[in-house]
mmCIF file of all heavy atoms in Angstrom:
data_model
loop_
_atom_site.group_PDB
_atom_site.id
_atom_site.type_symbol
_atom_site.label_atom_id
_atom_site.label_comp_id
_atom_site.label_asym_id
_atom_site.label_seq_id
_atom_site.Cartn_x
_atom_site.Cartn_y
_atom_site.Cartn_z
ATOM 1 N N LYS A 144 169.797 -49.130 189.971
ATOM 2 C CA LYS A 144 169.634 -48.222 188.832
ATOM 3 C C LYS A 144 169.974 -48.937 187.518
ATOM 4 O O LYS A 144 170.024 -48.311 186.459
ATOM 5 C CB LYS A 144 170.545 -47.003 188.995
ATOM 6 C CG LYS A 144 170.088 -46.031 190.076
ATOM 7 C CD LYS A 144 168.786 -45.330 189.705
ATOM 8 C CE LYS A 144 168.425 -44.257 190.723
ATOM 9 N NZ LYS A 144 167.170 -43.567 190.366
ATOM 10 N N ASN A 145 170.236 -50.231 187.602
ATOM 11 C CA ASN A 145 170.527 -51.048 186.423
ATOM 12 C C ASN A 145 169.519 -52.195 186.360
ATOM 13 O O ASN A 145 169.326 -52.902 187.359
ATOM 14 C CB ASN A 145 171.945 -51.616 186.491
ATOM 15 C CG ASN A 145 173.000 -50.529 186.548
ATOM 16 O OD1 ASN A 145 173.232 -49.826 185.577
ATOM 17 N ND2 ASN A 145 173.626 -50.391 187.710
ATOM 18 N N ILE A 146 168.902 -52.377 185.208
ATOM 19 C CA ILE A 146 167.918 -53.453 185.052
ATOM 20 C C ILE A 146 168.222 -54.222 183.768
ATOM 21 O O ILE A 146 168.449 -53.633 182.709
ATOM 22 C CB ILE A 146 166.475 -52.893 184.992
ATOM 23 C CG1 ILE A 146 166.084 -52.284 186.346
ATOM 24 C CG2 ILE A 146 165.482 -54.000 184.605
ATOM 25 C CD1 ILE A 146 164.691 -51.686 186.375
ATOM 26 N N ILE A 157 171.171 -57.454 171.861
ATOM 27 C CA ILE A 157 170.846 -56.815 173.131
ATOM 28 C C ILE A 157 170.016 -55.590 172.775
ATOM 29 O O ILE A 157 170.446 -54.758 171.974
ATOM 30 C CB ILE A 157 172.110 -56.402 173.906
ATOM 31 C CG1 ILE A 157 172.910 -57.649 174.319
ATOM 32 C CG2 ILE A 157 171.744 -55.581 175.132
ATOM 33 C CD1 ILE A 157 174.240 -57.322 174.974
ATOM 34 N N ALA A 158 168.824 -55.483 173.346
ATOM 35 C CA ALA A 158 167.953 -54.348 173.048
ATOM 36 C C ALA A 158 168.152 -53.266 174.095
ATOM 37 O O ALA A 158 168.216 -53.538 175.293
ATOM 38 C CB ALA A 158 166.490 -54.794 173.020
ATOM 39 N N ASP A 159 168.259 -52.017 173.616
ATOM 40 C CA ASP A 159 168.355 -50.880 174.536
ATOM 41 C C ASP A 159 167.164 -49.935 174.377
ATOM 42 O O ASP A 159 167.157 -48.835 174.928
ATOM 43 C CB ASP A 159 169.673 -50.131 174.342
ATOM 44 C CG ASP A 159 169.817 -49.517 172.960
ATOM 45 O OD1 ASP A 159 168.922 -49.726 172.106
ATOM 46 O OD2 ASP A 159 170.820 -48.816 172.724
ATOM 47 N N SER A 160 166.150 -50.381 173.638
ATOM 48 C CA SER A 160 164.903 -49.634 173.467
ATOM 49 C C SER A 160 163.907 -50.551 172.769
ATOM 50 O O SER A 160 164.302 -51.538 172.134
ATOM 51 C CB SER A 160 165.133 -48.351 172.651
ATOM 52 O OG SER A 160 165.842 -48.628 171.454
ATOM 53 N N TRP A 380 159.804 -47.747 174.934
ATOM 54 C CA TRP A 380 161.003 -47.654 175.769
ATOM 55 C C TRP A 380 162.046 -46.931 174.928
ATOM 56 O O TRP A 380 162.485 -47.433 173.909
ATOM 57 C CB TRP A 380 161.444 -49.041 176.194
ATOM 58 C CG TRP A 380 162.847 -49.168 176.708
ATOM 59 C CD1 TRP A 380 163.630 -48.204 177.279
ATOM 60 C CD2 TRP A 380 163.648 -50.364 176.700
ATOM 61 N NE1 TRP A 380 164.859 -48.721 177.620
ATOM 62 C CE2 TRP A 380 164.893 -50.035 177.286
ATOM 63 C CE3 TRP A 380 163.423 -51.671 176.276
ATOM 64 C CZ2 TRP A 380 165.914 -50.975 177.420
ATOM 65 C CZ3 TRP A 380 164.441 -52.595 176.425
ATOM 66 C CH2 TRP A 380 165.675 -52.252 177.000
ATOM 67 N N LYS A 381 162.404 -45.724 175.359
ATOM 68 C CA LYS A 381 163.283 -44.872 174.562
ATOM 69 C C LYS A 381 164.746 -45.109 174.926
ATOM 70 O O LYS A 381 165.091 -45.339 176.085
ATOM 71 C CB LYS A 381 162.911 -43.403 174.763
ATOM 72 C CG LYS A 381 161.509 -43.079 174.240
ATOM 73 C CD LYS A 381 161.165 -41.613 174.407
ATOM 74 C CE LYS A 381 159.773 -41.334 173.857
ATOM 75 N NZ LYS A 381 159.389 -39.922 174.053
ATOM 76 N N ARG A 382 165.576 -45.024 173.913
ATOM 77 C CA ARG A 382 167.012 -45.265 174.080
ATOM 78 C C ARG A 382 167.649 -44.176 174.931
ATOM 79 O O ARG A 382 167.425 -42.985 174.720
ATOM 80 C CB ARG A 382 167.673 -45.309 172.709
ATOM 81 C CG ARG A 382 169.137 -45.717 172.728
ATOM 82 C CD ARG A 382 169.664 -45.826 171.297
ATOM 83 N NE ARG A 382 170.975 -46.434 171.260
ATOM 84 C CZ ARG A 382 172.116 -45.752 171.322
ATOM 85 N NH1 ARG A 382 172.090 -44.431 171.421
ATOM 86 N NH2 ARG A 382 173.272 -46.380 171.276
ATOM 87 N N LYS A 383 168.461 -44.586 175.907
ATOM 88 C CA LYS A 383 169.218 -43.652 176.734
ATOM 89 C C LYS A 383 170.613 -43.508 176.150
ATOM 90 O O LYS A 383 171.304 -44.502 175.911
ATOM 91 C CB LYS A 383 169.288 -44.168 178.172
ATOM 92 C CG LYS A 383 170.011 -43.226 179.124
ATOM 93 C CD LYS A 383 170.126 -43.841 180.514
ATOM 94 C CE LYS A 383 170.899 -42.917 181.442
ATOM 95 N NZ LYS A 383 171.148 -43.541 182.766
ATOM 96 N N GLU A 384 171.012 -42.289 175.916
ATOM 97 C CA GLU A 384 172.299 -42.059 175.246
ATOM 98 C C GLU A 384 173.475 -42.558 176.078
ATOM 99 O O GLU A 384 174.341 -43.271 175.595
ATOM 100 C CB GLU A 384 172.467 -40.566 174.941
ATOM 101 C CG GLU A 384 171.567 -40.069 173.813
ATOM 102 C CD GLU A 384 171.780 -40.835 172.517
ATOM 103 O OE1 GLU A 384 172.941 -41.159 172.184
ATOM 104 O OE2 GLU A 384 170.772 -41.129 171.838
ATOM 105 N N ASN A 385 173.527 -42.169 177.351
ATOM 106 C CA ASN A 385 174.655 -42.548 178.211
ATOM 107 C C ASN A 385 174.239 -43.710 179.112
ATOM 108 O O ASN A 385 173.939 -43.534 180.285
ATOM 109 C CB ASN A 385 175.115 -41.344 179.046
ATOM 110 C CG ASN A 385 175.582 -40.195 178.166
ATOM 111 O OD1 ASN A 385 176.362 -40.411 177.246
ATOM 112 N ND2 ASN A 385 175.097 -38.997 178.435
ATOM 113 N N ASN A 386 174.230 -44.901 178.531
ATOM 114 C CA ASN A 386 173.809 -46.097 179.243
ATOM 115 C C ASN A 386 175.053 -46.929 179.577
ATOM 116 O O ASN A 386 175.569 -47.657 178.733
ATOM 117 C CB ASN A 386 172.823 -46.893 178.385
ATOM 118 C CG ASN A 386 172.226 -48.086 179.113
ATOM 119 O OD1 ASN A 386 172.779 -48.588 180.083
ATOM 120 N ND2 ASN A 386 171.086 -48.545 178.615
ATOM 121 N N GLU A 387 175.544 -46.792 180.806
ATOM 122 C CA GLU A 387 176.784 -47.478 181.197
ATOM 123 C C GLU A 387 176.620 -48.998 181.178
ATOM 124 O O GLU A 387 177.563 -49.732 180.900
ATOM 125 C CB GLU A 387 177.210 -47.011 182.591
ATOM 126 C CG GLU A 387 177.605 -45.529 182.631
ATOM 127 C CD GLU A 387 177.882 -45.050 184.042
ATOM 128 O OE1 GLU A 387 177.758 -45.871 184.982
ATOM 129 O OE2 GLU A 387 178.225 -43.861 184.199
ATOM 130 N N LEU A 388 175.404 -49.464 181.463
ATOM 131 C CA LEU A 388 175.149 -50.902 181.454
ATOM 132 C C LEU A 388 175.305 -51.475 180.046
ATOM 133 O O LEU A 388 175.794 -52.594 179.873
ATOM 134 C CB LEU A 388 173.738 -51.185 181.991
ATOM 135 C CG LEU A 388 173.315 -52.655 182.081
ATOM 136 C CD1 LEU A 388 174.237 -53.441 183.007
ATOM 137 C CD2 LEU A 388 171.868 -52.758 182.546
ATOM 138 N N ARG A 389 174.925 -50.686 179.052
ATOM 139 C CA ARG A 389 175.052 -51.127 177.651
ATOM 140 C C ARG A 389 176.516 -51.354 177.296
ATOM 141 O O ARG A 389 176.856 -52.382 176.682
ATOM 142 C CB ARG A 389 174.432 -50.068 176.731
ATOM 143 C CG ARG A 389 174.532 -50.389 175.240
ATOM 144 C CD ARG A 389 173.791 -49.339 174.425
ATOM 145 N NE ARG A 389 174.260 -47.998 174.694
ATOM 146 C CZ ARG A 389 173.466 -46.933 174.840
ATOM 147 N NH1 ARG A 389 172.160 -47.063 174.726
ATOM 148 N NH2 ARG A 389 173.959 -45.746 175.085
ATOM 149 N N GLU A 390 177.370 -50.440 177.688
ATOM 150 C CA GLU A 390 178.797 -50.573 177.373
ATOM 151 C C GLU A 390 179.403 -51.770 178.104
ATOM 152 O O GLU A 390 180.190 -52.539 177.534
ATOM 153 C CB GLU A 390 179.545 -49.285 177.751
ATOM 154 C CG GLU A 390 178.871 -47.977 177.331
ATOM 155 C CD GLU A 390 178.463 -47.958 175.868
ATOM 156 O OE1 GLU A 390 179.214 -48.494 175.031
ATOM 157 O OE2 GLU A 390 177.377 -47.408 175.552
ATOM 158 N N LEU A 391 179.011 -51.934 179.374
ATOM 159 C CA LEU A 391 179.533 -53.052 180.150
ATOM 160 C C LEU A 391 179.089 -54.385 179.541
ATOM 161 O O LEU A 391 179.891 -55.310 179.392
ATOM 162 C CB LEU A 391 179.051 -52.931 181.599
ATOM 163 C CG LEU A 391 179.569 -53.969 182.604
ATOM 164 C CD1 LEU A 391 179.708 -53.341 183.993
ATOM 165 C CD2 LEU A 391 178.635 -55.170 182.708
ATOM 166 N N ALA A 392 177.807 -54.483 179.186
ATOM 167 C CA ALA A 392 177.272 -55.735 178.627
ATOM 168 C C ALA A 392 177.952 -56.079 177.306
ATOM 169 O O ALA A 392 178.222 -57.257 177.023
ATOM 170 C CB ALA A 392 175.762 -55.621 178.436
ATOM 171 N N TYR A 393 178.236 -55.082 176.492
ATOM 172 C CA TYR A 393 178.920 -55.309 175.208
ATOM 173 C C TYR A 393 180.332 -55.859 175.455
ATOM 174 O O TYR A 393 180.742 -56.846 174.837
ATOM 175 C CB TYR A 393 178.982 -54.008 174.413
ATOM 176 C CG TYR A 393 179.637 -54.163 173.057
ATOM 177 C CD1 TYR A 393 178.878 -54.468 171.936
ATOM 178 C CD2 TYR A 393 181.014 -54.017 172.904
ATOM 179 C CE1 TYR A 393 179.459 -54.617 170.685
ATOM 180 C CE2 TYR A 393 181.626 -54.166 171.666
ATOM 181 C CZ TYR A 393 180.830 -54.467 170.559
ATOM 182 O OH TYR A 393 181.429 -54.629 169.325
ATOM 183 N N ILE A 406 173.785 -54.374 169.379
ATOM 184 C CA ILE A 406 172.935 -53.654 170.333
ATOM 185 C C ILE A 406 172.077 -52.683 169.530
ATOM 186 O O ILE A 406 172.591 -51.855 168.781
ATOM 187 C CB ILE A 406 173.761 -52.895 171.382
ATOM 188 C CG1 ILE A 406 174.632 -53.881 172.178
ATOM 189 C CG2 ILE A 406 172.867 -52.102 172.307
ATOM 190 C CD1 ILE A 406 175.482 -53.238 173.254
ATOM 191 N N GLN A 419 160.992 -47.386 182.920
ATOM 192 C CA GLN A 419 161.523 -46.092 182.491
ATOM 193 C C GLN A 419 160.628 -44.944 182.979
ATOM 194 O O GLN A 419 161.117 -43.841 183.245
ATOM 195 C CB GLN A 419 161.641 -46.055 180.965
ATOM 196 C CG GLN A 419 162.461 -44.908 180.426
ATOM 197 C CD GLN A 419 162.596 -44.976 178.916
ATOM 198 O OE1 GLN A 419 161.609 -45.114 178.202
ATOM 199 N NE2 GLN A 419 163.814 -44.894 178.430
ATOM 200 N N ASP A 424 166.753 -41.856 185.865
ATOM 201 C CA ASP A 424 168.170 -42.111 185.553
ATOM 202 C C ASP A 424 168.485 -43.604 185.540
ATOM 203 O O ASP A 424 169.438 -44.070 186.148
ATOM 204 C CB ASP A 424 169.066 -41.380 186.558
ATOM 205 C CG ASP A 424 170.511 -41.289 186.054
ATOM 206 O OD1 ASP A 424 170.694 -41.236 184.819
ATOM 207 O OD2 ASP A 424 171.428 -41.296 186.889
ATOM 208 N N LEU A 425 167.684 -44.347 184.795
ATOM 209 C CA LEU A 425 167.768 -45.805 184.772
ATOM 210 C C LEU A 425 168.595 -46.290 183.591
ATOM 211 O O LEU A 425 168.451 -45.797 182.471
ATOM 212 C CB LEU A 425 166.342 -46.383 184.675
ATOM 213 C CG LEU A 425 166.198 -47.889 184.570
ATOM 214 C CD1 LEU A 425 166.630 -48.556 185.871
ATOM 215 C CD2 LEU A 425 164.745 -48.254 184.250
ATOM 216 N N ASN A 426 169.470 -47.262 183.830
ATOM 217 C CA ASN A 426 170.160 -47.991 182.761
ATOM 218 C C ASN A 426 169.441 -49.326 182.572
ATOM 219 O O ASN A 426 169.323 -50.099 183.521
ATOM 220 C CB ASN A 426 171.620 -48.254 183.129
ATOM 221 C CG ASN A 426 172.418 -46.978 183.303
ATOM 222 O OD1 ASN A 426 172.346 -46.075 182.482
ATOM 223 N ND2 ASN A 426 173.159 -46.893 184.397
ATOM 224 N N MET A 427 168.994 -49.605 181.361
ATOM 225 C CA MET A 427 168.213 -50.830 181.158
ATOM 226 C C MET A 427 168.550 -51.469 179.816
ATOM 227 O O MET A 427 168.794 -50.793 178.820
ATOM 228 C CB MET A 427 166.712 -50.520 181.226
ATOM 229 C CG MET A 427 165.829 -51.759 181.186
ATOM 230 S SD MET A 427 164.159 -51.440 181.815
ATOM 231 C CE MET A 427 163.553 -50.217 180.617
ATOM 232 N N LEU A 428 168.559 -52.803 179.820
ATOM 233 C CA LEU A 428 168.756 -53.595 178.608
ATOM 234 C C LEU A 428 167.774 -54.754 178.630
ATOM 235 O O LEU A 428 167.272 -55.144 179.683
ATOM 236 C CB LEU A 428 170.180 -54.157 178.537
ATOM 237 C CG LEU A 428 171.337 -53.165 178.504
ATOM 238 C CD1 LEU A 428 172.662 -53.919 178.624
ATOM 239 C CD2 LEU A 428 171.305 -52.328 177.233
ATOM 240 N N SER A 429 167.521 -55.332 177.451
ATOM 241 C CA SER A 429 166.729 -56.563 177.373
ATOM 242 C C SER A 429 167.490 -57.576 176.531
ATOM 243 O O SER A 429 168.122 -57.225 175.536
ATOM 244 C CB SER A 429 165.355 -56.298 176.759
ATOM 245 O OG SER A 429 164.581 -57.492 176.741
ATOM 246 N N ILE A 462 179.605 -55.783 187.459
ATOM 247 C CA ILE A 462 178.894 -54.599 187.955
ATOM 248 C C ILE A 462 179.071 -54.443 189.462
ATOM 249 O O ILE A 462 179.084 -53.324 189.998
ATOM 250 C CB ILE A 462 177.399 -54.646 187.571
ATOM 251 C CG1 ILE A 462 176.854 -53.222 187.417
ATOM 252 C CG2 ILE A 462 176.548 -55.411 188.577
ATOM 253 C CD1 ILE A 462 175.555 -53.140 186.673
#
Side-chain angles (χ1 to χ4, degrees):
K144 288 292 186 180
N145 300 290
I146 293 179
I157 295 175
D159 63 356
S160 50
W380 163 25
K381 295 182 179 178
R382 187 176 190 269
K383 182 184 178 186
E384 288 303 320
N385 299 312
N386 186 338
E387 294 174 0
L388 181 60
R389 178 175 56 222
E390 315 310 322
L391 184 148
Y393 182 91
I406 300 181
Q419 193 177 51
D424 196 30
L425 177 68
N426 297 313
M427 187 161 63
L428 299 172
S429 182
I462 209 163

